Amino acid sequence: MTTFTKRLLTAIIIVLVGALAFYPKLKPLLAPKPDEKAATGGGKPGGDAKGGGKASVDVMVVNMQSLDEKILTTGTIIPNEEVEVRSEISGRVTGIFFKEGQYVKKDAVLLRINDADLQAQLQKLLSNKQLAETNESRQKRLLEKEAISRQEYDIAQTNLNGILADIENLKVQISKTVIRAPFDGTIGLRYISSGSYISPASRIATLTNTNPAKLDFSVPAKYAQLVRQGSKIQFLVEGSSRQYGGTVYAVETKVDPETRSLLLRAVSPNNDRTLVPGAFARINVVLNSHGNAIVVPTEAIIPEQAGQKVFVVRNRKAESVPVEIGLRNDRTVEIRSGLHVGDSLITAGTQLVKPGGEVDIRNLN
């Protein structure tokens, strides 16, 4: 080992020993001053109330709201009336009198089937009817003169009655060649064309009436005694933020033993036809209405050993207020005492505040 290397190692060792010896005395001088630590929020982003800074909170102004006891469920929109348009007889289509998506009135003609053969049969029966009426009239006069037996007259009368019955039956068959709308509604897609040969198995189109709309939904069996005809519902459908209302008008007579739920059906006005059959609906069933009350978000309630409390803002400072709660659901809680209309309630950021601490209101609802 060279002389230079020995001297270098010796210098490094001396420096390290000196640093270790003097570090405890230099440590207090390197620590941040207390006022600098407070200015930076105690090392925490934003600085909370416990570190001396203002706590950022969301606030809502307390007011009276309608308080309803509700249960949340889901359901499906169904039409008021719906039918697959089919023919009662077989034949060739001679005319189609509707367009796909068209709104039609009750008894509007939708389709005609060729009835030429039936009309010919009818004309033949009408001719036979005239002959039978003439024969029956003649036999009746002869019977009155006792020129023939009662049996001979009965044969003539039976022949006439049979022809009359055949005429009525044929007229019914002819009426079936004209297909009419059974109720007001909208025609869906068409599945046949003019000139097609159709039978009772042939699907022509679907006619749907959606005003009013209906909803099928179910509730747990434990609510069976609370939901009845006339119960009110509120619901939303997918793709829309509009809230609709309805009324329960039919209740199943028994609880489903497999799902332990009760099936109900409600009706809702649908004048603008925005409720489409088959759509998924989120439904609130109103069990009881309790009038107006103070209602606050669930997250604003802070449980403690003696009960519950909330924080309100007064003079830009947080103040703890004990409250008595009432009805609650998954989102809101009724406040029976402790809060008053007009109070500024802290709804978010409660974990950052302390009684008497200053707050910074970032959102006001």
Side-chain angles (χ1 to χ4, degrees):
M1 182 179 295
T2 64
T3 303
F4 175 77
T5 303
K6 291 179 180 180
R7 290 177 180 178
L8 180 61
L9 291 175
T10 302
I12 293 173
I13 293 172
I14 291 172
V15 171
L16 291 175
V17 171
L20 293 173
F22 286 97
Y23 176 74
K25 296 180 179 181
L26 295 174
K27 185 177 179 181
L29 298 176
L30 298 175
K33 297 179 180 180
D35 55 344
E36 294 178 352
K37 185 176 181 180
T40 59
K44 297 179 181 179
D48 61 20
K50 296 178 182 179
K54 294 182 180 180
S56 296
V57 297
D58 292 350
V59 171
M60 67 167 281
V61 178
V62 175
N63 54 34
M64 303 292 286
Q65 300 180 27
S66 176
L67 179 63
D68 296 324
E69 188 177 354
K70 305 175 182 178
I71 55 174
L72 179 64
T73 185
T74 58
T76 303
I77 307 295
I78 64 172
N80 179 42
E81 302 288 351
E82 185 176 56
V83 66
E84 285 191 353
V85 180
R86 297 179 186 269
S87 173
E88 294 185 71
I89 62 174
S90 299
R92 182 174 58 85
V93 176
T94 58
I96 298 174
F97 305 99
F98 67 87
K99 295 181 180 180
E100 294 168 308
Q102 178 184 355
Y103 185 82
V104 297
K105 291 288 188 178
K106 180 180 179 180
D107 292 330
V109 176
L110 304 178
L111 192 82
R112 286 186 183 274
I113 298 175
N114 182 29
D115 64 349
D117 56 337
L118 297 177
Q119 292 290 353
Q121 294 178 40
L122 178 61
Q123 292 302 318
K124 180 180 179 180
L125 286 175
L126 290 175
S127 298
N128 292 339
K129 172 191 171 187
Q130 293 179 353
L131 180 60
E133 286 177 338
T134 300
N135 185 51
E136 187 272 339
S137 179
R138 182 184 304 112
Q139 295 293 81
K140 185 176 182 180
R141 290 194 299 270
L142 293 174
L143 177 63
E144 290 173 352
K145 297 177 181 180
E146 298 183 354
I148 60 172
S149 67
R150 181 72 185 184
Q151 182 179 6
E152 291 176 303
Y153 171 75
D154 289 342
I155 293 173
Q157 188 179 44
T158 300
N159 183 49
L160 175 60
N161 290 338
I163 293 175
L164 293 174
D166 289 341
I167 291 174
E168 291 301 318
N169 179 60
L170 198 55
K171 287 181 178 180
V172 171
Q173 296 300 312
I174 292 174
S175 69
K176 292 179 180 179
T177 63
V178 180
I179 301 175
R180 300 178 182 272
F183 48 78
D184 295 355
T186 302
I187 291 285
L189 301 180
R190 174 164 57 89
Y191 296 96
I192 53 95
S193 299
S194 183
S196 301
Y197 186 87
I198 62 174
S199 68
S202 303
R203 180 182 178 186
I204 298 172
T206 301
L207 177 64
T208 305
N209 180 295
T210 58
N211 185 29
K214 295 178 180 178
L215 294 91
D216 277 353
F217 62 96
S218 59
V219 298
K222 63 181 180 180
Y223 296 112
Q225 300 301 319
L226 299 177
V227 182
R228 57 186 66 87
Q229 289 183 355
S231 294
K232 301 297 182 180
I233 66 169
Q234 300 166 350
F235 64 96
L236 299 171
V237 295
E238 286 186 315
S240 173
S241 59
R242 175 180 172 183
Q243 181 167 281
Y244 298 86
T247 305
V248 175
Y249 78 94
V251 181
E252 186 57 88
T253 56
K254 63 178 182 179
V255 172
D256 188 330
E258 294 184 0
T259 61
R260 300 300 176 187
S261 60
L262 182 67
L263 183 63
L264 302 99
R265 182 168 291 175
V267 62
S268 176
N270 190 28
N271 296 325
D272 54 3
R273 301 185 183 90
T274 55
L275 296 175
V276 181
F280 176 80
R282 293 180 175 86
I283 306 169
N284 279 315
V285 184
V286 180
L287 300 180
N288 291 300
S289 181
H290 298 274
N292 291 329
I294 293 177
V295 179
V296 302
T298 304
E299 56 268 21
I301 304 296
I302 302 174
E304 56 183 5
Q305 187 173 2
Q308 288 83 22
K309 70 177 182 180
V310 297
F311 279 108
V312 298
V313 177
R314 292 173 182 164
N315 299 321
R316 307 293 295 183
K317 294 184 179 180
E319 183 176 324
S320 176
V321 177
V323 294
E324 179 187 356
I325 66 173
L327 294 174
R328 67 187 304 162
N329 56 32
D330 57 334
R331 295 183 180 179
T332 60
V333 180
E334 175 194 9
I335 302 298
R336 292 181 175 174
S337 64
L339 288 179
H340 302 88
V341 174
D343 284 345
S344 297
L345 175 69
I346 297 178
T347 58
T350 53
Q351 71 276 13
L352 301 177
V353 302
K354 64 179 181 179
E358 293 187 352
V359 297
D360 179 25
I361 300 175
R362 60 191 178 192
N363 290 310
L364 177 62
N365 297 322

